[in-house]
Amino acid sequence: MSSLTMIEAIRDAMDVMMARDDRVVTFGQDVGRFGGVFRCTDGLQRKYGPSRCFDTPISESGIVGIAVGMGAYGLRPIAEIQFADYMYPAYDQLVSEAARLRFRSAGEFSSPIVVRMPCGGGIFGAQTHSQSPEALFTHVAGLKTVIPSNPHDAKGLLIAAIEDDDPVMFLEPKRIYNGPFDGHHDRPVVPWSKHELSETPEGYYTVPIGKAAVRRQGTDVSILAYGTMVHVVEAARQSVGVDAEIIDLRSLVPLDLETIIQSVVKTGRCLIVHEATRTSGFGAELSALIQERCFYHLEAPVVRVTGWDTPYPHAQEWDYFPGPDRVGRALTRLMES
Amino acid sequence: MSGGPLTLHVPEPTPCAEAADFSRLHLSEAGQLRRPAVDVEAGEIRDLAYGLIRVLDGEGRAVGPWSGACTIDQLRAGLRAMLKTRAYDSRMTMLQRQRKTSFYMQCTGEEAISCGFQSALQAGDMNFPTYRQQGLLIAQDWPVVDMMCQVLSNEKDRMKGRQLPVFYSAREAGFFSISGNLATQYVQAVGWAMASAMRGDNRVAAAWIGEGATAENDFHAALVFASVYRPPVVLNVVNNQWAISTAQSVAGGESATFAARAHGYGIPALRVDGNDYLAVRAAACWAVERARRNLGPTLIEWVTYRAAPHSTSDDPSKYRAPEDGAAWPLGDPVERLKDHLIGLGAWSEARHVQLKAELDEEIGIAAKAAQGFGTLVEGSKCSPASMFDDVYKLMPPHLREQRQELGF
Ligand SMILES: Cc1ncc(C[n+]2csc(CCOP(=O)(O)OP(=O)(O)O)c2C)c(N)n1
């Protein structure tokens, strides 16, 4: 075991898989020589050579398009989109091609690709470096969508994603690349080394896609979150002082509905938190599922705390971000209702 | 028939530790390339996409058929605009280092292109810029305090603190709102120019893109539409050799020039020394005149060098040699224009030093004034309530509700 940052864990996962399997290749903008603008691929080109880790032209449709082609050939491509905000030019390749190739060819061809992308705000990135587009992926039949919240899961989930035979969208909340950010932006950054989930096994291991993690057992209320928000809801829970059960979804599609239902049936209350905009966000899907499956166990309406339905602003970033105060207030209200 | 196993060609830029190799730059001598009539057919000037239009020679003299596009006063105005842009960039970089804002992007070494190009446009024309064309605003004496307020995201920021610093918008100045998504606006410029033609106006659009972003689909879509409808648009490609850490070879610059891409679409193309203010202005005037006379689009590759880091978030020492810039064969645009003017007896070292000092002072005063309206971290900025404005023309009920939830 060693303590890694998210960045190191992600790099380690690719390193382990590139060493084990020469079909694993990775590419994207600034990914090869420089090692990625967030350094996630640093050193991989030196170690595996430029035909396994390389720079691409600035063309997201090209990046995902060649990944689909390589995957069809039999490779295991990991494509990096520099920011999730820049994946839209690739959307057609994802939706019309990667997601449906298996279906439309009745299994003759498939897209065993991973598309990695930093997502989320909290770095003053404004509208083009802050978005959380996960719901645009979960809405598409054929794509899997994974969002880790800590280094241990990031490495295990990425290895599982690389081995997965379907296209996996792998979203990396950039605000927690270097430390477990709990939403208190005015406090000093806490390094990952202080967090137990930075402890990461050496070498190969997987965290299964489709299994949530119960981060904290509790009886009063179930909180569903993923990515950065797992840390934010824990901070909010502490300040409000409720005995909440915190579920880190880790994978949105496929979803660990069993764990969610078990928890909500037990607590009778549910708070859903995500950073993405609210309308048609993944929280809407979760809320609908809970209404369908747990209605008779609910003691209060399901509550969502999310980003506002506006583009992500620059100067007002912390008014946009669903931080511990907003989550805390919602928790209090939910407990009172 | 077998040639052994296949191998993948991956362009290999010069390693960091070695001096840069600019031997494949396709340079021409100053004055060497002809200046065709503006109604020339694309096919007749294919060579101009492979050579390099240059006016200033090694001694700072203006030579050849592309010289003579500027009066002395215009040249001095150009020098002033470039120096002011440079002073602005260094002050804003300083403010970012002092944490008064989150981010900044300089255009050091590329000033001649935007400053020279703007002088070829007229009121009513529209630029669709990238984040590295602040010179378009500065060359028309757009108030720098206004630009600084945007960079500082303060209460006077016309973008209300919404946009990343340097993503200006100034409709009156013919400066379209900058998007952070590369290349998207290239094809919009074509659409804008088509609209000008559809309405029977005589307004010209200028599209801007870096060589790296020419890989995006939107660049190619722009060329197709420009070739089909022949609207009044100048398609600018700023080849500053680098796209963050990626050399221009990764954008396809190893196989052909960027100017030559226009040939497949039958669009006339020029390749121009972007560090030569006289060449920039001459080529810009040529292309803008073509557009204005309904002769259609022109693609211009401006060959230049990104002397500064990509942005304040970037560290170029990780991917290019420190001597890379010094080895750049086309020099510095400010120095070259200065030498030319001195050679003409229209400028002097002393006046140059004085002008720099004046501009530094002007920018310093403006920066103080702008900070008086607040910065990203202190003082006043637009109310958080304003983030719900302009999402739609009329605020729908769900946004009103969310604004209330935020406490407004
Ligand atoms: C669609 C999209 N993809 C990726 C990015 C991230 N990005 C910002 S600038 C840049 C490099 C652009 O290089 P170039 O076009 O050569 O312009 P330069 O910065 O050199 O002026 C990249 C990859 C982006 N902004 N938009």
Side-chain angles (χ1 to χ4, degrees), chain B residues 166-231:
Chain B
V166 317
F167 287 17
Y168 313 104
S169 178
R171 191 186 174 111
E172 310 93 285
F175 193 99
F176 195 78
S177 155
I178 298 176
S179 165
N181 299 64
L182 295 171
T184 48
Q185 299 183 288
Y186 215 65
V187 64
Q188 294 165 11
V190 172
W192 194 97
M194 287 169 66
S196 172
M198 290 154 83
R199 305 293 291 183
D201 294 339
N202 70 343
R203 302 162 76 185
V204 169
W208 293 90
I209 201 168
E211 89 290 342
T214 60
E216 294 282 7
N217 298 356
D218 287 335
F219 171 78
H220 303 275
L223 264 58
V224 176
F225 280 75
S227 128
V228 171
Y229 300 106
R230 298 188 196 162

Side-chain angles (χ1 to χ4, degrees), chain A residues 29 60 82 86, chain B residues 131-132 180 182 210-213 240 242-243 310:
Chain A
Q29 294 156 19
E60 290 75 13
Q82 198 162 75
Y86 300 139
Chain B
Y131 42 74
R132 234 183 275 288
L182 295 171
E211 89 290 342
N240 65 9
W242 291 95
H310 171 72

Side-chain angles (χ1 to χ4, degrees), chain A:
Chain A
M1 297 287 268
S2 49
S3 172
L4 302 180
T5 66
M6 282 288 262
I7 292 170
E8 290 162 344
I10 286 161
R11 184 190 306 143
D12 198 26
M14 291 189 274
D15 192 1
V16 166
M17 291 308 287
M18 288 173 87
R20 276 168 72 98
D21 182 350
D22 67 5
R23 298 170 307 159
V24 178
V25 296
T26 185
F27 46 86
Q29 294 156 19
D30 302 289
V31 155
R33 205 159 105 96
F34 183 49
V37 291
F38 289 104
R39 326 294 304 143
C40 288
T41 52
D42 191 23
L44 296 179
Q45 184 176 76
R46 246 168 290 132
K47 193 160 171 189
Y48 298 103
S51 64
R52 299 210 33 219
C53 173
F54 57 90
D55 290 319
T56 63
I58 303 172
S59 169
E60 290 75 13
S61 62
I63 291 168
V64 175
I66 61 165
V68 172
M70 289 173 183
Y73 190 90
L75 300 188
R76 294 270 157 177
I78 311 164
E80 177 179 302
I81 300 293
Q82 198 162 75
F83 286 88
D85 315 62
Y86 300 139
M87 74 88 198
Y88 309 116
Y91 203 54
D92 195 33
Q93 284 293 337
L94 286 173
V95 176
S96 314
E97 304 301 320
R100 298 190 211 143
L101 187 54
R102 179 186 300 284
F103 184 80
R104 76 169 192 238
S105 67
E108 266 193 16
F109 297 98
S110 65
S111 265
I113 70 173
V114 180
V115 184
R116 295 182 35 242
M117 64 190 86
C119 68
I123 61 155
F124 280 110
Q127 48 141 12
T128 53
H129 301 88
S130 308
Q131 293 162 49
S132 298
E134 63 271 14
L136 297 180
F137 306 134
T138 59
H139 191 58
V140 177
L143 298 181
K144 294 184 176 175
T145 299
V146 170
I147 310 184
S149 70
N150 61 71
H152 173 274
D153 286 1
K155 180 175 168 185
L157 283 166
L158 184 51
I159 291 178
I162 295 166
E163 290 189 323
D164 201 288
D165 290 329
D166 287 313
V168 180
M169 309 305 291
F170 195 85
L171 282 81
E172 303 167 3
K174 65 178 92 68
R175 180 64 216 228
I176 56 170
Y177 266 152
N178 289 306
F181 177 65
D182 71 0
H184 286 113
H185 56 93
D186 39 3
R187 297 187 190 161
V189 178
V190 183
W192 271 115
S193 56
K194 296 240 157 69
H195 195 287
E196 57 177 2
L197 289 172
S198 73
E199 285 301 322
T200 310
E202 315 280 337
Y204 175 92
Y205 70 94
T206 58
V207 169
I209 294 176
K211 282 297 304 155
V214 179
R215 293 288 170 221
R216 183 183 188 279
Q217 306 268 357
T219 54
D220 293 348
V221 51
S222 307
I223 307 181
L224 312 184
Y226 48 89
T228 307
M229 291 303 140
V230 172
H231 306 278
V232 173
V233 301
E234 171 57 23
R237 182 205 66 79
Q238 280 177 25
S239 66
V240 173
V242 288
D243 186 21
E245 182 143 301
I246 298 178
I247 300 179
D248 177 355
L249 298 178
R250 301 199 288 204
S251 152
L252 307 188
V253 174
L255 182 69
D256 185 355
L257 201 50
E258 208 180 297
T259 301
I260 296 172
I261 293 172
Q262 248 172 34
S263 176
V264 177
V265 164
K266 177 176 76 178
T267 63
R269 288 185 157 82
C270 183
L271 179 74
I272 298 164
V273 183
H274 61 60
E275 196 180 339
T277 44
R278 175 173 307 187
T279 301
S280 304
F282 195 69
E285 179 63 32
L286 290 171
S287 176
L289 284 166
I290 291 162
Q291 188 276 138
E292 284 165 7
R293 313 290 173 108
C294 310
F295 183 78
Y296 296 107
H297 299 271
L298 286 177
E299 289 164 36
V302 175
V303 172
R304 283 181 289 165
V305 180
T306 66
W308 308 118
D309 284 333
T310 76
Y312 218 117
H314 178 246
Q316 304 87 352
E317 168 153 88
W318 298 117
D319 301 297
Y320 182 95
F321 187 90
D325 285 354
R326 241 161 83 198
V327 176
R329 279 198 303 276
L331 256 184
T332 308
R333 248 186 301 129
L334 179 54
M335 294 316 298
E336 286 163 0
S337 65

Side-chain angles (χ1 to χ4, degrees), chain B residues 304-321:
Chain B
T304 184
Y305 184 81
R306 195 197 79 209
H310 171 72
S311 72
T312 49
S313 311
D314 178 41
D315 172 12
S317 71
K318 291 230 160 58
Y319 54 81
R320 70 182 184 191

Side-chain angles (χ1 to χ4, degrees), chain B residues 344-368:
Chain B
L344 290 177
W347 198 240
S348 68
E349 290 288 355
R351 285 177 77 179
H352 195 76
V353 171
Q354 193 194 341
L355 177 61
K356 263 172 78 169
E358 277 170 29
L359 290 169
D360 279 344
E361 197 188 331
E362 185 186 330
I363 293 291
I365 292 168
K368 275 223 176 65

